[in-house]
Each structure stands twice: as C-alpha cells, then as structure tokens.
C-alpha cells in the first residue's frame, strides 16, 4: 500500500498533523491541587469524605479497606508515596485506650496522620447538630443519639450534604473538646483537623 500524498497546502491527508504544537498549551496556568489519601474504618466515614470532593479543593482519594485499626495504619504506610501530599486514617477509639496507644505507636515516625473519634465517628456527626461534652458509655449510645437528632440517618446512608451546614460549628465544638494531640478524651473527635485541611475555615 503506497503512502498517501500530502495535500497541496501541506496538511496531512487526514486533516491533522502528526506533530504536536506545544505552543498551544501554555504551561503553569493552573495551580496544582493538593492531594489527600483518606483511609476510613467504615462506610460512614467513606461516604462523608467522598461527599467533600469539589472541583476547587484538594483531590481526595477515599478508601475503606475493611481491615482493623492497626492494619489500616499499616495500609496507610504502605501507600505512602509522593503521589499524596497528606495521608490520614480516620478511626474510632471504641473507648479502648490500649488500642489507641497501639495505633499511635504504629503511626509514630511515619507521615500518617490519625484522626480519632471517641467513642466513634457518630460523635463527629453529632457535633454538626449540637454541642456535646458528656462522656458516652459506648459507641452504640452515640449512634442512638445521632438517630434521635437526625431521624432517617443510617450508617449506610450518610451524606456530607446532610451535615454540611453544621461543619464550621462541628470544627469549633470538636476543637474545644480536644486539640487532637495525645490520647483522645471521651467524648472527642480530631476529625476537625482533617476537615480544616480540606476546607480552610474562615478567620475569626
């Protein structure tokens, strides 16, 4: 088969040039977006953070590998690479201080950030709706309170947009309970630290 002849005006027979004109693509015109990898303990947290994706904020990779607390930290360390600017694990304490200590030991010396909620992520969602400082006896108790505050809510039907209106209040309330360093108190949630990395808060 003989090669096609170029057209008289110099264009290729198919109407496009095989050469790439890089002058048409000015570089450096868009700011590079930060990227965060968020490893979640369960589906509730995964759905919440997946709902925080926007076209302007940082790129969020949200996964729930379905492993236990310590294995989640191992998985976060395994995925640590230049691909992500920050890596976070979102975990419940389940009021187990030995488990919390073990998780912090595993994360020590790595680039993995831990966001504990005590007793569970439901406390973080409650703080969107009301202030709360009384200790919980169990994660089930927090779940029961959340269902009373938000009828129709369920772990598998958590949507960020249902809580978005209270996210600034939740950050302020959680920050007053615990600053996120050291062993978490009951109740407390360090999720505010991650949320403020995704959505910078307005200055007071």
């Amino acid at each position: 088969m003989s090669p096609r002849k170029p057209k008289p005006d110099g264009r290729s027979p198919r109407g496009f040039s095989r050469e790439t004109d890089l002058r048409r693509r000015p570089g450096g015109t868009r700011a590079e977006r930060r990227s965060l990898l968020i490893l979640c303990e369960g589906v509730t947290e995964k759905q919440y953070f997946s709902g925080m994706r926007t076209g302007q904020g940082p790129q969020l990779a949200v996964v729930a590998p379905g492993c236990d607390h310590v294995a989640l930290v191992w998985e976060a360390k395994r995925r640590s690479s230049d691909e992500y600017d920050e890596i976070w694990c979102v975990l419940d304490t389940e009021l187990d201080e030995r488990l919390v200590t073990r998780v912090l030991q595993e994360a020590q010396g790595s680039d993995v950030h831990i966001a504990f909620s005590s007793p569970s992520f439901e406390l973080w969602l409650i703080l969107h709706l009301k202030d709360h400082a009384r200790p919980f006896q169990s994660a089930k108790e927090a779940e029961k309170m959340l269902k009373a505050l938000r009828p129709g809510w369920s772990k598998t039907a958590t949507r960020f947009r249902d809580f978005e209106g209270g996210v600034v209040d939740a950050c302020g309330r959680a920050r007053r309970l615990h600053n996120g360093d050291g062993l978490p108190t009951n109740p407390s949630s360090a999720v505010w630290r991650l949320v403020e990395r995704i959505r910078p808060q307005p200055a007071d």
Side-chain angles (χ1 to χ4, degrees):
M1 183 176 176
S2 61
R4 296 186 181 185
K5 294 180 180 179
K7 293 187 176 181
D9 61 2
R11 292 181 298 149
S12 73
R14 293 182 179 177
F16 64 88
S17 171
R18 292 179 184 271
E19 296 180 4
T20 302
D21 184 359
L22 297 177
R23 292 173 300 178
R24 295 176 181 175
R25 299 180 181 180
T29 57
R30 298 179 64 182
E32 187 174 344
R33 296 167 63 193
R34 291 182 299 117
S35 62
L36 277 68
L37 172 63
I38 303 171
L39 291 95
C40 304
E41 184 180 349
V43 66
T44 307
E45 299 92 323
K46 182 181 178 184
Q47 291 181 182
Y48 179 92
F49 286 107
S50 294
M52 293 188 75
R53 292 185 177 120
T54 67
Q56 292 76 42
Q59 299 180 67
L60 304 180
V62 187
V63 297
C67 49
D68 64 33
H69 291 63
V70 174
L72 199 74
V73 177
W74 292 342
E75 181 66 12
K77 291 162 73 173
R78 189 185 69 80
R79 296 189 184 203
S80 180
S81 71
D82 292 339
E83 184 180 353
Y84 304 108
D85 295 304
E86 297 177 23
I87 299 180
W88 289 78
C89 290
V90 180
L91 295 165
D92 298 343
T93 68
E94 299 174 6
L95 305 179
D96 186 336
E97 189 171 315
R98 287 184 302 178
L99 177 61
V100 169
T101 301
R102 177 81 192 286
V103 167
L104 293 176
Q105 287 172 343
E106 289 296 335
Q108 193 171 25
S110 73
D111 295 329
V112 176
H113 303 275
I114 306 294
F116 278 120
S117 289
S118 182
S120 62
F121 192 75
E122 280 72 17
L123 180 272
W124 169 248
L125 298 179
I126 288 169
L127 294 176
H128 290 67
L129 307 172
K130 64 171 286 192
D131 207 353
H132 183 87
R134 181 174 55 81
F136 287 102
Q137 298 302 311
S138 66
K140 279 289 182 189
E141 185 184 352
E143 184 177 337
K144 184 177 178 181
M145 175 180 285
L146 180 57
K147 285 181 176 177
L149 290 169
R150 181 55 58 91
W153 172 84
S154 72
K155 285 178 173 291
T156 56
T158 302
R159 298 179 303 182
F160 174 70
R161 64 175 178 267
D162 292 340
F163 294 90
E164 187 173 10
V167 72
V168 173
D169 289 336
C171 288
R173 291 163 178 163
R175 195 186 302 113
R176 286 193 294 275
L177 288 172
H178 190 256
N179 68 4
D181 292 326
L183 294 177
T185 56
N186 175 21
S188 67
S189 177
V191 170
W192 67 269
R193 300 178 73 178
L194 169 55
V195 168
E196 289 190 354
R197 298 296 297 158
I198 300 170
R199 290 167 51 112
Q201 302 299 295
D204 292 333

